[in-house]
Amino acid sequence: MEHLHQSFTVQYNYNIFFTSALFSPQNDLLNNFLINLNPAVTVKKILFVIDEGVANAHSGLVTEIKTYFSKYDETQLVQDILIIPGGEQVKNDTRYFDQVLEAINAYGIDRHSFVAAIGGGAVLDMVGYAATVAHRGIKHIRIPSTVLSQNDSGVGVKNGINYFNKKNFLGTFSPPVAVFNDELFLSTLSDRDWRSGIAEAIKVALIKDAEFFEWLEANAAALAARDTAAMNDQIWKCAKLHLEHIRSADPFENGSARPLDFGHWSAHKLEYLTNFEVRHGEAVAMGIALDSVYSNLSGRITAEEAQRVINLIQALGFELTHPLLQVKEGNSPILQGLEEFREHLGGELTITLLTGIGSGEEVHEIDTRILKQAAEALNSQTAII
């Protein structure tokens, strides 16, 4: 039979800007970006959605934004700035998603206008998803406020919310038009949140860049001690590696391979099992530890390499494991994470394991017996070597 065929390519371009005091009247970075994007459009609006935790920690933020746009008035600021809860609750409860859509509708935010989200990764995920589905795609701007969102989730192309008690069951692949990393937002983070985001740097270094892993080893003490210069370097290096992966591999995850999810299959499940009392980065650190020891016990990396991973995780102040990560029997709760990961990938389980510091390989099955041994080794915190 005769048929029609079509093929086309859509190019995406966006920048990650690194700055300090983004909303200072003396900082024209954001304004210049807004007016230079589609300069022929004469009427542009911008709607801000802010993580409640950020608004509380930076009490003058709303006033600063309004003052900024009173000076740089080429873009019309929606004066009703939305304040919503941060953390996974904003992805678990669809009323916040609906609230953003209602504001987009009420204030006439069209495809020439912007929705800007300020907050941690969960808020950025949810707001990005709302912007992407409204009018089939409104330009969204990310202003990450945590280490985790500045070096990882905020610079990528994913948006989503949790549904059916599954992480990111609803979502889109839609890049932001820009990301603005403002170092001042990191100054008010708790030690726990400061540390949490570094787990993603360990992850990307282990699968992509041995030199970066060595840098993390050399700078672990400075990072743990909240050295701003070291943190800025870590965020830049980590964000760069993530962008390189997105550009060179499979940005919209049409295949089964997801190397950037190294350590995540158990982390996602652990978050849910603890009702998100364990932070994402904390769960990822434990997942990295588990998969690294498994990589050693399955003959892929040496005991010395596995020990280096464990040493770095501990030097940064992370816990190595959690009681819910123990594999006691065939129906241990954490094992359901493997099945959910398989489903998320379209039916074929694909897990990245280490073949060395800075390299990995894809495997399509996990030996429960070896996984149990790895979990027990971490639980006893005995030396790997």
Side-chain angles (χ1 to χ4, degrees), residues 45-173:
K45 301 176 185 178
I46 186 166
L47 169 69
F48 276 87
V49 184
I50 304 179
D51 186 317
E52 185 177 32
V54 177
N56 291 338
H58 301 265
S59 58
L61 180 58
V62 170
T63 300
E64 290 173 9
I65 292 172
K66 292 184 176 181
T67 300
Y68 188 89
F69 283 94
S70 67
K71 175 179 180 179
Y72 300 109
D73 58 4
E74 295 91 341
T75 304
Q76 297 178 12
L77 172 69
V78 173
Q79 293 295 311
D80 184 10
I81 294 175
L82 295 184
I83 309 294
I84 60 174
E88 286 295 313
Q89 63 177 316
V90 82
K91 295 175 64 173
N92 289 333
D93 191 334
T94 57
R95 64 176 163 163
Y96 303 115
F97 170 72
D98 291 339
Q99 189 177 354
V100 175
L101 291 179
E102 288 164 2
I104 289 171
N105 178 56
Y107 295 109
I109 305 299
D110 59 24
R111 296 176 72 179
H112 295 299
S113 297
F114 305 90
V115 176
I118 304 176
V123 168
L124 301 184
D125 277 357
M126 186 278 289
V127 175
Y129 180 49
T132 301
V133 299
H135 297 300
R136 298 195 179 110
I138 293 171
K139 298 177 180 66
H140 66 284
I141 293 171
R142 296 181 185 153
I143 305 174
S145 64
T146 64
V147 174
L148 182 62
S149 54
Q150 288 195 5
N151 73 358
D152 180 90
S153 60
V155 304
V157 299
K158 300 180 192 177
N159 311 281
I161 60 175
N162 306 329
Y163 213 71
F164 297 135
N165 289 322
K166 294 178 181 178
K167 194 172 177 71
N168 300 319
F169 184 84
L170 297 178
T172 60
F173 292 101

Side-chain angles (χ1 to χ4, degrees), residues 38 41 54 61 64 88 95 127 147 154 161 181 224 258 272 276 280 294 316 332 336 348 362-363 378-380:
N38 295 340
V41 178
V54 177
L61 180 58
E64 290 173 9
E88 286 295 313
R95 64 176 163 163
V127 175
V147 174
I161 60 175
N181 278 346
R258 292 176 59 174
Y272 264 106
F276 297 97
H280 177 70
Y294 183 99
L316 290 167
S332 294
Q336 184 59 34
E348 182 180 32
E362 298 167 15
V363 301
L378 290 169
N379 189 50
S380 64

